[in-house]
């Protein structure tokens, strides 16, 4: 009897300890894909899961990095047409990129490489190129000259690829899979402007992701509540240089070869897939508010927040709570 009582007391004690324990959370930070990245995970396997996700990010960074001679990007760009055999991940990333190119009439184009190089965005120092140099580089840009054939890619003469507008989103998708498979109950991945919510917060509520004011780095314009989805922002404030009193940012309009002047300064896309959200955010930035709204209406599988150069905020869906005067799209 005494033994049964003791067993009952210790079972109760264990339950009290277990039930009252705060969920194990673990955070790690690293530099990859040219940006500061954080992974916050919770659940019993949080630490190991976060470490596996960081490993996955490093693996994909090495595969996509334009600067590493053995990366798939560098091998494709050096091959002068191909065909080049790629890793499964590279083929999947290109497949998503080409779908968004077709959907947005080429506003998103991973063959933008020659133009991005000309502006110096791969170098320490950026510069405004000569107009005829822009025209020459632009003649190489056309996603329709890329032919994806299973694991092989053919490119047109002089073409070079740049995965900068989609790689972080693709990596976040794979990291989310790794986190779940390795035992994290929930997680939040942040790769620069790319945030990926895995499950919910430890208290069961959605993750809350702030949308930055593009005109004031310390101010927040609203909050996105997210569960199992990507929240990706493309903004002209994220990377730019100044020359002769003008600002030149890193999102290039593939029709002109110059930084997109579409009337938008920031585009946030909320979608299930990080790769799609990433490519779309860049594409919608190029398209401008009216054409972005048309793309949103015809796709029906994402939400967005547009901030214009006149400080207007347009948004769709119920997951965004604006903190400033905003216009809801319908
Ligand atoms: P994001 O920060 O996702 O908007 O992507 C911007 C990056 O994608 C740039 O730094 C370039 O490397 C690349 N990029 C620029 N313009 C385009 C474009 N129109 N389509 C695809 N990639 C682009
Ligand atoms: Mg992007």
């Amino acid at each position: 009897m005494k033994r049964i009582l003791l067993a009952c007391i210790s079972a109760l004690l264990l339950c009290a300890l277990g039930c009252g324990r705060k969920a194990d959370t673990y955070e790690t930070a690293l530099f990859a894909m040219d940006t500061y990245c954080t992974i916050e995970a919770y659940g019993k396997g949080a630490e190991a899961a976060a470490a596996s996700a960081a490993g996955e990010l490093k693996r994909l960074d090495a595969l996509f990095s334009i600067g590493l001679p053995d990366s798939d990007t560098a091998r494709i760009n050096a091959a002068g047409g191909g065909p080049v055999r790629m890793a499964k991940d590279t083929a999947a990333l290109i497949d998503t990129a080409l779908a968004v190119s077709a959907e947005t009439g080429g506003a998103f184009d991973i063959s933008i490489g020659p133009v991005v190089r000309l502006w110096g965005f791969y170098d320490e120092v950026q510069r405004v190129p000569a107009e005829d140099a822009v025209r020459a580089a632009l003649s190489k840009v056309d996603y329709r000259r890329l032919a994806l054939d299973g694991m092989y890619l053919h490119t047109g003469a002089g073409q070079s690829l740049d995965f900068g507008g989609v790689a972080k989103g693709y990596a976040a998708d794979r990291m989310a899979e790794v986190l779940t498979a390795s035992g994290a109950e929930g997680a939040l991945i942040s790769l620069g402007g790319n945030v990926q919510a895995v499950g919910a917060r430890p208290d069961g509520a959605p993750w809350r992701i702030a949308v930055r004011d593009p005109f004031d780095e310390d101010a927040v314009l609203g909050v996105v509540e997210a569960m199992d989805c990507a929240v990706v922002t493309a903004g002209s404030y994220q990377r730019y240089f100044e020359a002769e009193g003008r600002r030149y940012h890193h999102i290039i309009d593939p029709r002109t070869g110059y930084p997109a002047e579409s009337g938008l300064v920031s585009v946030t896309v909320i979608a299930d897939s990080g790769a799609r959200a990433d490519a779309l955010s860049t594409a919608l930035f190029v398209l401008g508010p009216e054409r972005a709204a048309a793309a949103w209406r015809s796709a029906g599988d994402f939400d967005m927040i547009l901030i214009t150069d006149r400080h207007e905020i347009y948004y769709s869906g119920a997951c965004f709570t604006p903190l400033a005067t905003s216009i809801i799209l319908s």
Side-chain angles (χ1 to χ4, degrees):
M1 185 63 196
K2 206 169 153 194
R3 212 183 277 166
I4 294 170
L5 201 70
L6 266 177
C8 285
I9 291 171
S10 47
L12 273 172
L13 209 67
L14 268 179
C15 178
L17 282 175
C19 301
R21 215 172 75 196
K22 211 171 142 269
D24 300 297
T25 62
Y26 184 79
E27 263 189 75
T28 186
L30 67 156
F31 193 83
M33 298 208 169
D34 227 10
T35 196
Y36 176 73
C37 307
T38 60
I39 305 162
E40 180 188 335
Y42 74 89
K44 280 214 177 62
E47 185 170 352
S52 302
E56 180 68 352
L57 175 60
K58 287 186 206 152
R59 182 183 75 81
L60 293 169
D61 192 12
L63 195 60
F64 301 147
S65 169
I66 209 158
L68 292 177
D70 290 338
S71 73
D72 271 9
T73 320
R75 288 192 310 108
I76 293 164
N77 291 350
V84 176
R85 189 181 161 86
M86 305 164 290
K88 208 170 112 235
D89 288 298
T90 315
L93 172 143
I94 293 174
D95 194 42
T96 302
L98 292 178
V100 173
S101 298
E103 185 178 342
T104 60
F108 188 76
D109 194 326
I110 49 169
S111 72
I112 200 78
V115 179
V116 177
R117 179 173 303 284
L118 191 64
W119 282 89
F121 282 111
Y122 302 140
D123 311 327
E124 294 281 308
V125 184
Q126 288 83 48
R127 66 240 151 201
V128 182
E131 275 177 35
D132 54 352
V134 173
R135 261 196 305 278
L138 201 55
S139 71
K140 312 279 192 294
V141 178
D142 189 347
Y143 70 95
R144 289 165 299 190
R145 282 181 232 148
L146 304 174
L148 184 62
D149 177 11
M151 307 293 276
Y152 290 86
L153 184 75
H154 302 254
T155 57
Q159 288 200 299
S160 71
L161 305 190
D162 178 331
F163 298 149
V166 62
K168 291 199 288 286
Y170 183 86
D173 283 333
R174 298 289 79 79
M175 290 166 76
E177 281 177 8
V178 166
L179 280 157
T180 309
S182 21
E185 284 166 36
L188 196 69
I189 303 163
S190 169
L191 315 176
N194 289 60
V195 177
Q196 192 103 1
V198 183
R201 284 192 329 198
D203 63 2
W207 295 100
R208 290 168 61 78
I209 297 141
V211 176
R212 215 204 94 165
D213 182 344
F215 303 101
D216 176 359
E217 63 178 306
D218 299 320
V220 168
L221 287 183
V223 175
V224 175
E225 293 203 316
M227 275 167 84
D228 282 317
C229 67
V231 182
V232 181
T233 300
S236 48
Y237 61 89
Q238 289 170 334
R239 198 156 174 217
Y240 63 86
F241 68 96
E242 272 161 15
E244 290 162 19
R246 279 201 60 180
R247 222 180 226 212
Y248 298 92
H249 64 78
H250 67 140
I251 302 173
I252 306 291
D253 186 335
R255 290 167 305 184
T256 64
Y258 284 79
E261 287 184 53
S262 65
L264 290 172
V265 287
S266 170
V267 174
T268 299
V269 171
I270 302 126
D272 289 347
S273 150
R276 177 161 166 76
D278 196 355
L280 273 173
S281 61
T282 309
L284 302 184
F285 188 102
V286 171
L287 289 178
E290 286 82 18
R291 293 171 70 207
W296 166 73
R297 283 190 195 96
S298 75
D301 69 340
F302 67 87
D303 276 306
M304 63 180 187
I305 303 150
L306 310 177
I307 303 168
T308 72
D309 53 11
R310 293 154 70 183
H311 297 237
E312 299 144 328
I313 306 170
Y314 296 90
Y315 71 101
S316 70
C319 63
F320 177 62
T321 308
L323 300 173
T325 311
S326 314
I327 300 157
I328 186 155
L329 293 160
S330 55

